[in-house]
Amino acid sequence: MNSVPVIPDNAPFSAEQRAWLNGFLAGVLNRGSAAAAVSSPQKATTPLLIAFGSQSGNAESLAKRLAREASGRGFAARAAGLDSLQPADLVKEQNVLLITSTWGEGDMPDNAVSFWDSINQNGSSPKLDGVQYSVLALGDKNYGDTYCLAGRKLDLRLAELGAKRILDRVDCDVDFDDLAKTWSANAFMALSGGTAVTTVTAAPAPVAEPEETGYTKKNPFPAKLILNTSLNTRGSSKDTRHIGFSLAGSGLTYEVGDALGVFVQNCTEVVDAVIAAHAFDPQADVPLPDGGSAPLREALIRHYEVRSLFGKVPEPGITLAAFMEKLRKLQPRLYSIASSIKAHADEVHLCIAAVRYNTDGVPHKGVASTFLADRLPLGETTGIYFHAANHFRLPADLTKPVIMVGPGTGIAPFRAFLEEREATQAPGKNWLFFGDQKRASDFLYHDQIIEWVQKGHLTRLDTAFSRDQVEKIYVQTRMLQAAAELWQWLEEGAHFYVCGDAKRMAKDVDEALHSVIQTAGGKSADEAAAYVAQMKKEKRYARDVY
Ligand SMILES: Cc1cc2nc3c(=O)[nH]c(=O)nc-3n(C[C@H](O)[C@H](O)[C@H](O)COP(=O)(O)OP(=O)(O)OC[C@H]3O[C@@H](n4cnc5c(N)ncnc54)[C@H](O)[C@@H]3O)c2cc1C
Ligand SMILES: NC(=O)c1ccc[n+]([C@@H]2O[C@H](COP(=O)([O-])OP(=O)(O)OC[C@H]3O[C@@H](n4cnc5c(N)ncnc54)[C@H](OP(=O)(O)O)[C@@H]3O)[C@@H](O)[C@H]2O)c1
Ligand SMILES: Cc1cc2nc3c(=O)[nH]c(=O)nc-3n(C[C@H](O)[C@H](O)[C@H](O)COP(=O)(O)O)c2cc1C
């Protein structure tokens, strides 16, 4: 066995860099003998890059957790966002595990866009011969054809560029934990020179993963509902609620920018209608998604998604067992946090639009939003957990200006940001673009926002009430009207944030941002695109869109 190369202690590197370099050099020189690294965890020999494309943090936390686990197994592992990587970095690092979600309608998550653009351009990407890789794709089967599309595209492209797939890609639906464990265990084994399992089919060898402690998605905190007030007034066509939970006794805290996961229940009337339509016995014992069993009615209220079954004609003659097979697990919903813990000790606030609509004359209601708006009584509890959003953070430098674009419920994280900046007495300027249907009835958090303007805390406020006049006025209309000042703020180093509707608003706001940079900044379309790409790289352009 070759001796492990040693970067001398007096070399100009931090301990961390030295350890990584030693691991990297050892990996380069000892390729093929990497299995030894697994049996002697102290010596990090096989370099391993766990790259992530992540919008709301799932792929990011998974990548970071797996990097810690891989380090414990003797790899010189590190996790890195795709926004910090160039294709050439993969060639340098050789062993790459790539975890990515899919966002929008089959799109790359924001932090993977420029990496994807650079490997997808014919001729400009380096060949990836010598790179060994595997992809874990996170997604949601509800998205149909675009299920895990970003992961599928990256997987194909890496192979096209000559990289060697050491393990077949694994596509994961919303509950990705078990498949991710299997995939990572097999990938570590294949990279360590163990049996090269190419398809994940069976349970892996057990992985020594540190158990999460405290209140998590798997162990949610039963939080008491303490606030449920309407943010719209008479005459509004919307029903937006200010919702608050008590964190008392939980020891939990959060950062502004994070989201809250909320466990919810289906409407009993909807469940009863579904059971009656199928003529099932509501007390029949049925299996639960995570093991165990419960009476059918209870299982449908708390554990399974039944929304899509409501108002549907039942399949003729379907048995209860076949019916249960078709059901998906009821998932908790995420909400952007609308408060700063510095302003509301032991509380977390949300801004939620109750989803209600009709199709073919049948009224439908969103499961979670109406559970919180209508069915969870004040003082009762439901399970909650915090979901970190490291991509959506206020600048660490309190003097930096921030520009926030948040129409509708998109205001949520910006109420939190403004409360936080007030509590920390951040001297940087604050600019809010807010929009909704009508000023008289839909100006969410009106009093607090106007008070911030009067105090000078909110340096500039631009509102866009879309239905107060014949033509639509949207937040991006206001951005374009204020192009010169917006450009000036960007040039002063402002951080630009967008929250709310992903399908239409976020795309239009992105277009308006490019347009402002072109018109006020005197740039060509390509230069504006490069300017925006640089903002993303510097983490000065962040989106929390859904
Ligand atoms: C990171 C993140 C942050 C979020 N933050 C917030 C927030 O701050 N505030 C907020 O309100 N929401 C937020 N959401 C959205 C939230 O998680 C839920 O998706 C939303 O409340 C709807 O959930 P629901 O269970 O009420 O509706 P569901 O039961 O899931 O029903 C929604 C579905 O109903 C259908 N639908 C809805 N409207 C119509 C219509 N008009 N016509 C036909 N079909 C329709 C669509 O298929 C839609 O997907 C966020 C989402 C994410 C991922
Ligand atoms: N069918 C759907 O799936 C659907 C539809 C709407 C909202 N939503 C979702 O429902 C939730 C709550 O919505 P919300 O109350 O927060 O607000 P919202 O419906 O996004 O509306 C807020 C404001 O944005 C305006 N708006 C509409 N299109 C826009 C665009 N392209 N660019 C900029 N602004 C635009 C709206 O105007 P107008 O309404 O006057 O056009 C309104 O004034 C969000 O999750 C949103 O994504 C879903
Ligand atoms: C607004 C939105 C759009 C999404 N679009 C897709 C999609 O097109 N295809 C898919 O498979 N999953 C889609 N997803 C599901 C995410 O990929 C999935 O929730 C994933 O776990 C998110 O991981 P992340 O937090 O690392 O971004 C979408 C989720 C949201 C909230």
Side-chain angles (χ1 to χ4, degrees):
M1 161 91 59
N2 295 331
S3 62
V4 175
V6 175
I7 300 284
D9 285 352
N10 60 358
F13 299 113
S14 68
E16 201 184 351
Q17 286 167 327
R18 197 162 43 242
W20 187 87
L21 280 166
N22 277 331
F24 176 72
L25 289 172
V28 170
L29 295 176
N30 292 338
R31 280 183 77 71
S33 61
V38 178
S39 55
S40 76
Q42 278 76 19
K43 284 182 187 146
T45 54
T46 307
L48 174 59
L49 170 65
I50 307 189
F52 58 86
S54 183
Q55 187 76 33
S56 63
N58 289 337
E60 178 177 356
S61 2
L62 182 60
K64 288 179 175 166
R65 183 153 52 83
L66 292 183
R68 283 195 298 275
E69 190 190 318
S71 301
R73 283 176 164 261
F75 288 92
R78 70 176 184 113
L82 284 171
D83 54 344
S84 67
L85 297 170
Q86 299 293 333
D89 293 324
L90 306 196
V91 181
K92 265 189 256 152
E93 310 237 5
Q94 299 179 327
N95 296 319
V96 180
L97 297 182
L98 196 156
I99 306 175
T100 187
S101 64
T102 296
W103 210 255
E105 290 156 88
D107 302 331
M108 294 285 153
D110 280 351
N111 81 328
V113 171
S114 72
F115 181 88
W116 169 247
D117 288 346
S118 42
I119 63 163
N120 198 33
Q121 279 162 13
N122 279 334
S124 67
S125 176
K127 291 294 286 172
L128 300 182
D129 299 330
V131 174
Q132 305 194 89
Y133 81 99
S134 181
V135 171
L136 183 76
L138 305 191
D140 180 341
K141 281 192 176 150
N142 280 323
Y143 286 90
D145 289 350
T146 66
Y147 176 53
C148 290
L149 189 58
R152 287 190 271 143
K153 283 167 142 181
L154 279 159
D155 182 38
L156 262 182
R157 188 62 185 148
L158 293 181
E160 278 170 10
L161 291 170
K164 181 180 169 213
R165 189 185 291 118
I166 46 132
L167 180 69
D168 283 351
R169 187 190 71 248
V170 172
D171 295 341
C172 305
D173 201 357
V174 276
D175 270 330
F176 53 81
D177 279 355
D178 290 347
L179 272 180
K181 262 186 207 160
T182 313
W183 171 80
S184 60
N186 279 307
F188 294 158
M189 202 196 307
L191 288 168
S192 308
T195 314
V197 184
T198 55
T199 308
V200 172
T201 48
V207 174
E209 186 193 307
E211 275 303 311
E212 285 181 321
T213 53
Y215 293 110
T216 61
K217 187 174 178 184
K218 284 199 176 134
N219 177 31
F221 174 65
K224 196 183 276 184
L225 183 74
I226 51 167
L227 287 170
N228 178 354
T229 55
S230 184
L231 290 167
N232 304 102
T233 55
R234 214 138 53 95
S236 175
S237 65
K238 305 185 80 167
D239 178 7
T240 318
R241 301 295 178 97
H242 182 57
I243 295 287
F245 286 104
S246 170
L247 300 177
S250 69
L252 288 171
T253 189
Y254 57 89
E255 284 189 54
V256 292
D258 286 346
L260 189 75
V262 183
F263 282 84
V264 296
Q265 294 175 26
N266 286 304
C267 172
T268 50
E269 286 161 26
V270 169
V271 167
D272 289 341
V274 168
I275 294 175
H278 290 80
F280 291 142
D281 171 6
Q283 295 310 317
D285 199 46
V286 293
L288 295 178
D290 294 328
S293 67
L296 174 66
R297 186 168 187 271
E298 189 195 325
L300 295 192
I301 291 172
R302 292 171 177 273
H303 300 281
Y304 288 100
E305 196 78 63
V306 295
R307 183 173 56 85
S308 58
L309 303 170
F310 181 65
K312 271 199 187 164
V313 183
E315 211 177 291
I318 188 165
T319 63
L320 180 56
F323 172 83
M324 295 309 297
E325 282 281 304
K326 286 175 183 266
L327 297 183
R328 286 164 58 85
K329 185 176 163 185
L330 180 60
Q331 294 294 335
R333 304 297 200 265
L334 287 178
Y335 291 97
S336 312
I337 291 174
S339 52
S340 161
I341 194 118
K342 297 189 176 73
H344 308 275
D346 269 346
E347 290 182 10
V348 58
H349 299 174
L350 310 173
C351 173
I352 296 184
V355 173
R356 305 179 211 275
Y357 60 95
N358 281 287
T359 38
D360 303 328
V362 181
H364 290 267
K365 46 192 179 187
V367 175
S369 55
T370 62
F371 171 71
L372 293 170
D374 305 341
R375 302 193 293 280
L376 182 67
L378 281 171
E380 291 293 309
T381 64
T382 196
I384 62 158
Y385 62 95
F386 288 100
H387 182 91
N390 293 326
H391 71 289
F392 204 77
R393 292 280 181 247
L394 276 169
D397 178 349
L398 301 186
T399 67
K400 290 279 182 217
V402 300
I403 302 167
M404 299 161 278
V405 183
T409 52
I411 187 66
F414 304 137
R415 176 181 184 260
F417 277 14
L418 286 161
E419 288 189 347
E420 179 85 7
R421 300 260 283 185
E422 192 174 36
T424 55
Q425 300 184 345
K429 296 187 287 183
N430 302 305
W431 185 347
L432 175 67
F433 288 89
F434 173 72
D436 215 320
Q437 293 182 355
K438 295 182 173 172
R439 176 183 290 273
S441 55
D442 306 315
F443 195 153
L444 312 180
Y445 300 107
H446 170 274
D447 293 357
Q448 195 174 11
I449 289 174
I450 295 303
E451 194 185 325
W452 277 328
V453 174
Q454 286 165 351
K455 280 184 181 166
H457 178 51
L458 199 44
T459 320
R460 182 165 174 167
L461 168 69
D462 284 76
T463 53
F465 292 99
S466 52
R467 303 194 189 181
D468 275 351
Q469 59 287 306
V470 177
E471 79 285 10
K472 292 273 185 183
I473 293 180
Y474 288 151
V475 281
Q476 62 271 23
T477 323
R478 300 302 188 207
M479 285 171 59
L480 296 171
Q481 287 168 346
E485 191 172 344
L486 195 50
W487 169 247
Q488 197 188 318
W489 281 51
L490 293 178
E491 284 290 272
E492 287 168 19
H495 288 227
F496 186 84
Y497 301 92
V498 185
C499 180
D501 173 57
K503 282 200 186 92
R504 301 153 300 156
M505 182 277 295
K507 289 192 170 112
D508 293 349
V509 165
D510 185 72
E511 221 170 83
L513 177 65
H514 283 77
S515 174
V516 163
I517 295 165
Q518 285 178 62
T519 53
K523 308 263 183 217
S524 68
D526 284 350
E527 286 166 344
Y531 190 95
V532 170
Q534 185 59 24
M535 283 177 67
K536 284 185 187 161
K537 201 161 199 161
E538 291 167 6
K539 304 209 184 295
R540 287 175 49 218
Y541 180 13
R543 306 197 303 174
D544 172 18
V545 294
Y546 41 87

